């Protein structure tokens, strides 16, 4: 199976100074590549669509659309059916995404645990495994998990691997590429991967900004501005866990991070939470109250400076815990005993659309966004 050429890579700031801006035009092959992505993205988002409807969505000519649809059909990425006209009128051919035309693997990595998912082109999860990691053999354990998924689904067209991690290195990518039959992995940080999942297959609207808070061993935030993830000059935008928060002026990670939760409720209860079990206890309720009291400070800062349309909170914690935390945040924002101002202008808050904040899903989308679909800067 042939696939489109890779999309644009992220540009990193050079140590000796910012890169000089250039006006670069597109070659004919790159224009064709982009038009194919535009058509496939329109079908994925709005399909099934007829040629005429595709023309309205994409602004391309009829012959150009026909040629692109022919190529996508040859790649087994779209399928066609006859659509009956209204009132028994003329029929037209409509084109829909063929999700099983391409698959991808995404891996979310923390220090000692990970998650790997296999998704199709529509974002549907077909396999999921959890990984216990040893920092001394991180690459080998990731490779073994990916290899097991590939072996179980050997008949599927798996086109690539994405990794979401905040501390994955270029050397580790080289190592896993040398060990794997899949191409070199695409890598993003956890919050960017989470935002890509929300933007591409989640419930979040495309208009306005989006802020995503990920609660794990540490607390991170990511920002989607005009549809594009924002990471800052050095990739450190959203390191909110290092903020001093609350009336006691302590670091957010020490109150909201998983170590604080584990010490509060105990190892056994913490393990039950990570396994998805919903339960209530006085110690868990106390952690929720303290976490909300400190988490509100960075949320106020986000609302004041970025004014996102929504602030989403994702975690490996059960949905009920996230909803209880958001409810407590709504109570805290109206309490003037600790903050001398009401904050009705804070953006709406809601849980992330996917478990774990969708980090593994976003990682799995990276190969699609670099080969088949429109990358964030182009959509």
């Amino acid at each position: 199976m042939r696939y489109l050429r890779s999309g644009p890579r992220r540009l990193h700031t050079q140590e000796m100074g910012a890169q000089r801006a250039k006006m670069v035009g597109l070659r004919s092959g790159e224009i064709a590549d982009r038009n194919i992505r535009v058509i496939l993205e329109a079908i994925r988002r709005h399909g099934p669509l007829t040629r005429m409807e595709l023309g309205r969505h994409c602004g391309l000519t009829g012959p150009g659309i026909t040629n692109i649809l022919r190529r996508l059909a040859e790649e087994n990425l779209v399928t066609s059916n006859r659509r009956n006209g209204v009132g028994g009128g003329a029929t037209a051919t409509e084109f829909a995404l063929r999700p099983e035309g391409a698959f991808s693997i995404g891996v979310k990595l923390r220090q000692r645990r990970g998650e790997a998912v296999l998704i199709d082109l529509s974002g549907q999860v077909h396999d999921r495994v959890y990984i216990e990691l040893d920092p001394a053999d991180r690459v080998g354990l990731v490779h073994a998990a990916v290899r097991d998924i590939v072996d179980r689904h050997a008949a599927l067209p798996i086109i690539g691997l994405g990794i979401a991690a905040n501390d994955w290195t270029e050397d580790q990518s080289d190592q896993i590429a040398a060990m794997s039959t899949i191409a070199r992995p695409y890598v993003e940080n956890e919050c960017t991967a989470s935002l890509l999942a929300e933007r591409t297959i989640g419930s979040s609207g495309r208009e306005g900004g989006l802020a995503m808070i990920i609660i794990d061993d540490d607390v991170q935030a990511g920002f989607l501005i005009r549809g594009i993830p924002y990471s800052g000059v050095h990739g450190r935008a959203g390191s909110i866990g290092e903020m001093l928060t609350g009336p006691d002026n302590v670091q957010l990670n020490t109150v909201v991070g998983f170590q604080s939760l584990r010490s509060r409720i105990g190892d056994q209860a913490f393990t039950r939470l990570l396994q998805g079990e919903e339960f209530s206890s006085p110690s868990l309720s106390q952690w929720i109250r303290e976490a909300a009291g400190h988490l509100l400070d960075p949320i106020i800062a986000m609302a004041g400076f970025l004014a996102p349309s929504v602030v989403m909170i994702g975690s490996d914690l059960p949905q009920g815990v996230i909803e209880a935390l958001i409810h407590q945040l709504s109570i805290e924002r109206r309490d003037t005993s600790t903050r001398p101002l009401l904050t009705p202008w804070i953006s709406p808050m809601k849980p992330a659309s996917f478990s774990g904040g969708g980090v593994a899903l976003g990682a799995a989308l990276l190969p699609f966004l670099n080969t088949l679909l429109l990358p964030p800067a182009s959509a």
Side-chain angles (χ1 to χ4, degrees):
M1 179 178 292
R2 294 178 292 113
Y3 290 101
L4 311 181
R5 65 173 57 85
S6 176
R9 298 294 193 271
R10 291 187 300 167
L11 296 178
H12 296 280
T13 303
Q14 296 177 347
E15 292 183 3
M16 297 303 293
Q19 292 179 335
R20 183 166 56 92
K22 298 179 181 180
M23 298 297 292
V24 180
L26 295 178
R27 293 184 290 271
S28 59
E30 292 171 328
I31 294 173
D33 177 61
R34 175 179 169 80
N35 288 342
I36 292 171
R37 293 177 184 234
V38 167
I39 291 290
L40 189 60
E41 180 76 0
I43 293 173
R44 188 189 69 81
R45 284 190 175 273
H46 309 291
L49 298 173
T50 65
R51 289 182 177 87
M52 185 175 296
E53 290 167 341
L54 279 168
R56 290 197 294 267
H57 277 285
C58 306
L60 300 176
T61 64
I65 291 173
T66 297
N67 289 335
I68 290 172
L69 289 172
R70 183 182 301 117
R71 177 173 174 180
L72 291 174
E74 290 172 355
E75 302 284 358
N76 293 318
L77 297 174
V78 299
T79 185
S80 60
N81 294 287
R82 299 296 292 179
R83 179 194 293 178
N84 293 327
V86 178
T91 63
T93 303
E94 63 180 14
F95 298 86
L97 187 72
R98 188 172 179 270
E100 64 272 24
F103 290 79
S104 175
I105 297 173
V107 180
K108 176 182 78 170
L109 296 177
R110 300 299 297 182
Q111 284 297 315
R112 295 191 174 275
R113 55 190 171 84
E115 176 187 358
V117 297
L118 174 71
I119 68 170
D120 63 27
L121 192 53
S122 70
Q124 179 69 35
V125 176
H126 290 255
D127 199 353
R128 187 190 305 267
V129 297
Y130 295 96
I131 314 165
E132 291 187 8
L133 296 175
D134 180 353
D137 189 26
R138 205 177 186 200
V139 173
L141 292 170
V142 170
H143 172 257
V146 171
R147 183 192 60 209
D148 288 346
I149 292 177
V150 172
D151 290 346
R152 283 199 300 273
H153 305 275
L156 299 181
I158 300 175
I159 70 168
L161 168 66
I163 292 177
N166 295 338
D167 55 356
W168 188 262
T169 67
E170 292 289 326
D171 287 344
Q172 289 173 318
S173 287
D174 292 339
Q175 293 173 39
I176 204 166
M179 300 165 68
S180 176
T181 57
I182 298 180
R184 194 173 192 275
Y186 300 96
V187 182
E188 271 293 358
N189 65 57
E190 293 177 49
C191 275
T192 297
S194 175
L195 290 166
L196 290 174
E198 285 291 344
R199 175 193 171 278
T200 308
I201 57 177
S203 61
S204 173
R206 301 182 66 192
E207 298 300 324
L210 165 66
M212 173 69 72
I213 296 174
I214 300 293
I215 298 174
D216 208 286
D217 297 330
D218 53 8
V219 187
Q220 312 161 50
F223 312 105
L224 198 68
I225 301 174
R226 294 182 179 177
I228 302 173
Y230 177 76
S231 299
V233 175
H234 302 292
R236 287 182 53 81
S239 300
I240 62 173
E242 300 172 11
M243 290 179 61
L244 300 180
T245 59
D248 46 357
N249 202 38
V250 299
Q251 195 176 69
L252 186 65
N253 281 336
T254 64
V255 180
V256 184
F258 276 0
Q259 184 58 41
S260 169
L261 175 58
R262 183 196 294 269
S263 63
R264 167 91 47 191
I265 67 175
D267 291 344
Q268 185 176 3
F270 180 75
T271 300
R272 289 166 58 196
L273 281 179
L274 291 191
Q275 291 173 345
E277 183 177 341
E278 299 268 8
F279 64 87
S280 60
S281 70
S283 55
L284 178 58
S285 298
Q286 181 63 27
W287 176 83
I288 289 172
R289 287 191 293 271
E290 292 184 3
H294 288 77
L295 193 58
L296 188 60
D297 283 351
I299 291 176
I300 290 174
M302 291 178 202
F305 285 98
L306 298 177
S309 59
V310 63
V311 175
M312 308 189 87
I313 299 178
S315 178
D316 285 332
L317 298 174
Q319 179 88 350
V321 176
I322 300 300
E323 291 174 349
L325 178 60
I326 291 173
H327 175 70
Q328 187 64 35
L329 281 164
S330 69
I331 295 173
E332 291 285 336
R333 64 189 287 185
R334 296 191 295 269
D335 183 4
T336 57
S337 63
T338 55
R339 293 175 182 84
L341 72 157
L342 290 173
T343 53
W345 40 267
I346 288 182
S347 307
M349 294 173 281
K350 67 177 186 177
S353 300
F354 308 105
S355 63
V359 175
L361 279 175
L365 287 169
L366 291 173
F368 292 151
L369 294 171
N370 279 276
T371 57
L372 296 173
L373 304 176
L374 283 176
S378 302

